[in-house]
């Protein structure tokens, strides 16, 4: 820095009293004299003011030249010390802090000017640093700065977040992302264009006569936030085609009318509210066929699936031959118990009856897997690009995550008919002369993983169309249990512990089910309510029939009655069908799993709806 030559020392400072420079080259003496003359009061002097004034004097001295200081003798210095001590005792008092003016430690000198004291000619001590006490103040303080009134409400010292109810003010600058899809210049240009179109539509909303315009109208900060949110969402979800999607959105906004913009705003407001505040839950639909139970049963043959359709859906239509079963036995012996995990696809070894050396049932240690199937995320209408599959359980990308749920052991599943028959032979529904022919049965099973694959652990059958319970028992599987698959089966170890042995004279409660000793006994119980011509109703019954090893010719499957719009192998779930057609929620237990009785009756109600149509 170059030293000043004093060319502007007679020119008043343009900033006047608001000048904050410690060594300003302009003159400030006029403003100080005016202030002293207008006040008409005794001069207030503080250590900080004296320090600033001393610096100002030093600045003037540097301009006018060095000023010689009068040397004091030792006697004069002692006399000055006594004079100052007397002044302090007589005229000086301490002003207590005041929360309104913020003045602390002010010294009031009555009638005496400290600058006239000889002690003033000594070197001043630097004042203490000014501490920021605004953050500790409770109420907000309003300050004036160049004609503007700003709120100085403090930010929380613990969290650093603005107080509740305050809108976060953002500039129109793209938010920082760990992996930005484009350079900052490109993102800034695109978000600016988005913001311009939103501002234009918002101005048209203000001028419109729509009754909901007050709700859809956005403030300046909300428009900035809306543009930033939309740009950030596209950047995260579609980084590979980020530029194209943003440009398409800008074009769509240019063509968008005021009514369309208002509708978008109202949808966003509705989505931000809790469900129970804006959505009225529809009551479940009541099925009224206008027919008697006998007449409904008489119409069921029209809904029976054809044999070719059942084969396409994976039904087993004939029992495997002895040659096929023998071939499966040789294959199992050659494999020496090696299987592929049904969850994580890891190869492991299984030991039915436990390994002799250590009693282990499987090898491979812990299994880490995703319990939910991968799905393609739903995107914007303008986004036609290929999206990566995501796991619904943890929202991780397929191929980038090994799993999110641990299990104690690996498990496997058998789907080939000859291997299923090797564990438990298939059996066609036998004749039952003593049973009435005018009846139908709804059927559902729950399966768990054992050392012999996926086996039956619960069997439920209800009458149709009234939904009365016929059979509902827990089943002890043939192999040692590896995993009850409780997340979906709804069967937990405590259920087996509290179950009572099955008896025809014993009535089981809803909490304590009866337990049969094997799948053969459970199949015999179901056969007692069936004949070869009895319609068997359910949802995706091929899995349930394979678990019980039954071949039945008369099948009414809700998967066949309500096919997926895009055809096989896609299928509509039972929960989705009940919600869509009957406004009924099922399988709401979450981690507690499904209820086979509820599922069986739900499938029967879907069939009744078809009968009513």
């Amino acid at each position: 820095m170059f030293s000043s030559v004093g060319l502007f020392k007679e020119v008043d400072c343009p900033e006047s009293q608001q000048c904050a420079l410690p060594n300003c080259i302009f003159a400030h003496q006029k403003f100080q004299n005016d202030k002293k003359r207008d006040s008409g009061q005794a001069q207030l002097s503080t250590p900080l003011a004296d320090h600033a004034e001393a610096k100002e004097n030093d600045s003037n001295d540097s301009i006018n030249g060095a000023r010689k200081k009068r040397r004091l003798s030792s006697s004069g210095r002692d006399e000055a010390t006594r004079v100052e001590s007397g002044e302090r005792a007589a005229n000086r008092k301490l002003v207590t802090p005041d929360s309104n003016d913020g003045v602390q430690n002010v010294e009031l000198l009555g009638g005496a000017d400290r600058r006239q004291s000889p002690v003033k000619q000594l070197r001043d001590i630097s004042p203490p640093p000014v501490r920021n006490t605004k953050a500790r103040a409770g109420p907000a303080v309003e300050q004036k700065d160049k004609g503007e009134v700003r709120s100085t409400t403090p930010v929380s010292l613990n969290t650093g977040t603005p107080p509740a109810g305050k809108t976060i003010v953002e500039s129109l600058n793209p938010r920082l992302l760990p992996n930005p899809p484009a350079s900052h210049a490109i993102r800034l240009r695109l978000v600016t264009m988005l913001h311009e179109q939103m501002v234009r539509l918002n101005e048209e909303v203000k001028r419109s006569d729509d009754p909901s315009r007050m709700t859809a109208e956005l403030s300046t900060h909300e428009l900035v936030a809306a543009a930033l949110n939309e740009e950030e969402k596209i950047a995260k979800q579609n980084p590979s085609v980020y530029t194209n999607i943003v440009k398409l959105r800008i074009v769509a906004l240019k063509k968008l009318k005021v009514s369309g913009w208002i509708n978008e705003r109202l949808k966003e407001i509705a989505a931000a509210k809790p469900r129970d505040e804006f959505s009225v839950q529809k009551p479940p639909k009541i099925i009224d066929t206008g027919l008697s139970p006998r007449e409904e049963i008489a119409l069921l043959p029209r809904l029976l699936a054809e044999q070719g359709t059942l084969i396409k859906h994976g039904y087993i239509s004939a029992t495997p031959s002895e040659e096929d079963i023998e071939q499966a036995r040789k294959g199992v012996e050659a494999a020496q118990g090696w299987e592929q995990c049904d969850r994580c696809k890891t190869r492991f070894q299984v030991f039915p009856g436990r390994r002799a050396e250590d009693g282990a049932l499987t090898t491979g240690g812990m299994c880490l897997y995703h319990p939910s199937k991968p799905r393609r995320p739903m995107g914007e209408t303008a986004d036609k690009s290929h999206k990566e599959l995501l796991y619904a359980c943890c929202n991780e990308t397929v191929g980038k995550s090994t799993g999110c749920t641990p299990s104690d052991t690996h498990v496997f599943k058998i789907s080939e008919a000859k291997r299923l028959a090797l564990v438990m032979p298939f059996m066609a529904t036998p004749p039952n002369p003593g049973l009435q022919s005018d009846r139908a049965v709804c059927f559902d099973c729950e399966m768990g993983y054992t050392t012999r694959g996926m086996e039956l652990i619960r069997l439920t059958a209800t009458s149709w169309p009234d939904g009365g319970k016929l059979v509902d028992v827990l089943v002890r599987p043939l192999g040692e249990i590896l995993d009850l698959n409780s997340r979906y089966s709804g069967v937990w170890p405590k259920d087996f512990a509290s179950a009572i042995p099955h008896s025809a004279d014993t009535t089981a409660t809803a909490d304590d089910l009866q337990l049969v000793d094997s799948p053969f006994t459970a199949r015999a119980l179901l056969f007692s309510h069936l004949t070869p011509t009895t319609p068997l109703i359910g949802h995706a019954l091929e899995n349930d029939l394979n678990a019980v090893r039954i071949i039945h010719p008369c099948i009414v499957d809700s998967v066949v009655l309500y096919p997926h719009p895009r055809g096989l192998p896609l299928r509509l779930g039972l929960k989705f069908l009940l919600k869509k057609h009957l406004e009924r929620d099922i399988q709401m237990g979450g981690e507690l799993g499904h209820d086979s009785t509820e599922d069986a009756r739900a499938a029967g109600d879907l069939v009744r709806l078809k009968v009513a149509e």
Side-chain angles (χ1 to χ4, degrees):
M1 295 294 292
F2 297 98
S3 61
S4 174
V5 295
L7 297 178
F8 302 95
K9 65 179 182 179
E10 301 298 334
V11 180
D12 294 338
C13 181
E15 294 293 333
S16 66
Q17 300 180 11
Q18 297 181 359
C19 180
L21 295 177
N23 298 317
C24 183
I25 63 175
F26 294 96
H28 286 265
Q29 192 65 29
K30 175 183 177 181
F31 307 116
Q32 295 178 357
N33 295 336
D34 294 343
K35 183 177 180 181
K36 293 178 181 179
R37 184 173 58 255
D38 294 340
S39 60
Q41 298 178 358
Q43 181 181 3
L44 291 177
S45 176
T46 64
L48 183 60
D50 290 341
H51 179 70
E53 186 176 354
K55 294 190 67 177
E56 182 180 349
N57 295 333
D58 293 342
S59 176
N60 294 333
D61 292 342
S62 64
I63 297 176
N64 301 326
R67 184 181 61 182
K68 294 183 178 180
K69 297 183 179 180
R70 181 167 56 88
R71 184 173 181 177
L72 299 177
S73 61
S74 60
S75 60
R77 187 178 296 109
D78 295 339
E79 182 182 358
T81 304
R82 290 194 303 270
V83 171
E84 186 184 24
S85 301
E87 289 178 354
R88 288 180 179 176
N91 302 324
R92 187 175 180 180
K93 64 178 181 178
L94 183 65
V95 181
T96 57
D98 192 344
S99 61
N100 295 328
D101 53 18
V103 179
Q104 294 182 354
N105 299 331
V106 178
E107 297 176 354
L108 180 61
L109 301 179
D113 190 352
R114 292 184 61 186
R115 289 177 295 178
Q116 298 176 0
S117 174
V119 183
K120 181 62 182 178
Q121 299 179 10
L122 299 177
R123 182 179 297 274
D124 291 338
I125 300 176
S126 299
V130 180
R131 297 181 179 180
N132 183 15
T133 58
K134 296 177 183 178
R136 297 186 178 91
V141 181
E142 296 294 325
Q143 294 181 345
K144 292 186 177 181
D145 185 10
K146 298 183 181 180
E148 295 182 1
V149 179
R150 298 183 301 175
S151 175
T152 59
T153 304
V155 176
S156 173
L157 295 177
N158 297 328
T159 62
T161 57
K166 298 292 183 181
T167 304
I168 300 178
V169 179
E170 296 181 274
S171 62
L172 192 60
N173 194 33
R175 292 166 180 161
L176 182 63
L177 297 177
N179 297 311
S183 64
H184 181 270
I186 295 177
R187 293 183 62 196
L188 179 59
R189 180 167 57 88
L190 293 176
V191 77
T192 303
M193 297 173 66
L194 274 175
H195 180 258
E196 290 175 355
Q197 297 303 319
M198 291 181 177
V199 171
R200 178 187 61 83
L201 290 169
N202 193 62
E203 292 298 328
E204 294 182 5
V205 169
K206 293 180 181 179
R207 296 190 297 266
S208 67
D209 298 331
D210 195 292
S212 58
R213 67 179 182 86
M214 296 299 295
T215 306
E217 184 179 337
L218 298 178
S219 64
T220 303
H221 298 318
E222 289 174 341
L223 285 170
V224 173
L228 294 178
N229 290 337
E230 188 154 356
E231 188 272 341
E232 182 183 18
K233 180 180 178 182
I234 298 174
K236 288 182 177 180
Q237 293 184 353
N238 309 98
S240 59
V241 288
Y242 160 80
T243 306
N244 293 339
I245 295 179
V246 177
K247 289 181 179 179
L248 289 174
R249 177 58 176 165
I250 294 172
V251 173
L253 290 176
K254 288 182 179 180
K255 299 179 180 179
L256 191 63
K257 297 181 180 180
V258 180
S259 59
W261 175 254
I262 293 177
N263 291 335
E264 286 189 7
R265 302 280 69 75
L266 295 179
K267 289 180 180 179
E268 290 183 2
I269 294 173
K273 292 181 179 179
R275 181 177 179 88
D276 53 357
E277 290 187 9
F278 71 93
S279 177
V280 178
Q281 196 75 9
K282 296 181 180 179
K285 184 178 180 180
I286 299 176
I287 305 173
D288 185 12
T289 61
L291 304 174
S292 65
R294 286 180 174 271
E295 292 173 338
E296 291 182 14
I297 295 174
L299 291 176
L300 269 184
R302 300 183 182 182
L303 302 179
L304 294 177
E306 298 180 356
Q307 195 67 24
T309 303
L310 294 178
I311 294 176
K312 290 181 181 180
H313 283 77
Y315 284 82
I316 297 176
S317 58
T319 57
S321 61
E322 292 295 333
E323 293 78 7
D324 293 338
I325 297 175
E326 184 62 26
Q327 183 183 4
R329 180 179 290 105
K330 293 179 180 180
V332 170
E333 293 175 356
Q336 297 180 353
W338 285 96
E339 302 287 350
Q340 186 181 44
C341 182
D342 188 41
R343 292 170 170 170
C344 66
K345 308 305 177 186
T346 301
R347 297 285 296 178
F348 72 103
Q349 196 172 12
V350 62
F351 306 102
R354 297 186 180 273
R355 186 165 56 182
E357 293 82 5
D358 54 2
L361 293 175
T362 61
T363 61
M366 182 174 291
C367 175
L368 190 64
Y369 68 100
H370 293 282
S372 300
K373 296 180 180 179
R375 297 179 180 178
R376 202 172 301 279
M378 301 298 293
E380 299 292 338
T381 306
D383 183 13
K384 303 297 182 182
S385 63
H386 176 76
K387 296 186 179 66
E388 295 180 329
L389 294 176
L390 300 177
Y391 290 106
C393 51
C394 59
N395 206 30
E396 292 289 340
T397 305
V398 175
K400 297 183 180 180
S401 175
T402 57
C404 62
T405 304
S407 180
D408 294 336
T409 180
H410 297 283
V411 295
F412 71 102
K413 177 182 178 181
I414 300 174
S415 56
E416 290 183 312
K418 55 185 178 181
R419 283 204 61 184
L420 291 172
L422 183 62
V423 177
M424 178 180 175
F426 281 86
M427 184 176 180
T429 305
N432 196 346
L435 197 64
Q436 298 179 358
S437 58
D438 56 342
R439 63 181 305 168
V441 175
C442 297
F443 169 59
D444 189 69
C445 292
E446 303 295 347
M447 284 77 76
Y449 293 102
T450 72
T451 55
R452 297 181 181 271
M454 181 168 275
E455 290 194 66
L456 176 70
I457 57 175
R458 182 177 178 181
L459 185 145
T460 302
T462 61
S463 59
W464 190 87
D466 59 343
K469 186 179 294 187
L470 300 177
V471 179
D472 190 12
V473 293
L474 294 176
V475 183
R476 191 185 304 278
L478 300 176
E480 292 82 2
I481 296 176
L482 298 178
D483 192 330
L484 289 174
N485 200 26
S486 303
R487 182 187 184 96
Y488 297 102
S489 66
V491 179
W492 298 82
K494 62 180 181 63
D495 297 326
F496 275 92
S498 61
I500 59 178
H502 174 263
S503 174
D505 300 332
T506 304
T507 302
T509 62
D511 297 330
D512 298 330
L513 298 174
Q514 296 185 16
L515 176 65
V516 297
D517 55 358
S518 70
F520 295 94
T521 306
R523 182 171 64 180
L525 288 175
L526 181 60
F527 278 157
S528 64
H529 300 279
L530 296 178
T531 66
T533 58
T534 301
L536 196 57
I537 302 171
H539 184 81
L541 279 182
E542 71 277 9
N543 299 316
D544 305 284
L545 292 176
N546 290 345
V548 195
R549 309 296 197 272
I550 291 179
I551 298 177
H552 192 76
C554 298
I555 300 295
V556 182
D557 197 335
S558 56
V559 171
V560 179
L561 297 179
Y562 300 90
H564 196 281
R566 290 187 287 175
L568 292 175
L570 301 177
R571 303 183 179 193
L572 297 176
L574 182 62
K575 181 177 182 178
F576 172 81
L577 292 175
L578 260 291
K579 185 63 177 177
K580 178 181 179 181
H581 297 286
L582 296 178
E583 293 293 340
R584 187 190 307 171
D585 293 318
I586 64 170
Q587 300 175 358
M588 302 300 291
E591 297 292 335
L592 298 178
H594 300 176
D595 184 0
S596 56
T597 303
E598 180 185 49
D599 293 349
R601 290 170 178 167
D605 290 340
L606 289 174
V607 174
R608 288 196 66 207
L609 185 62
K610 277 293 180 182
V611 172
E613 294 177 356

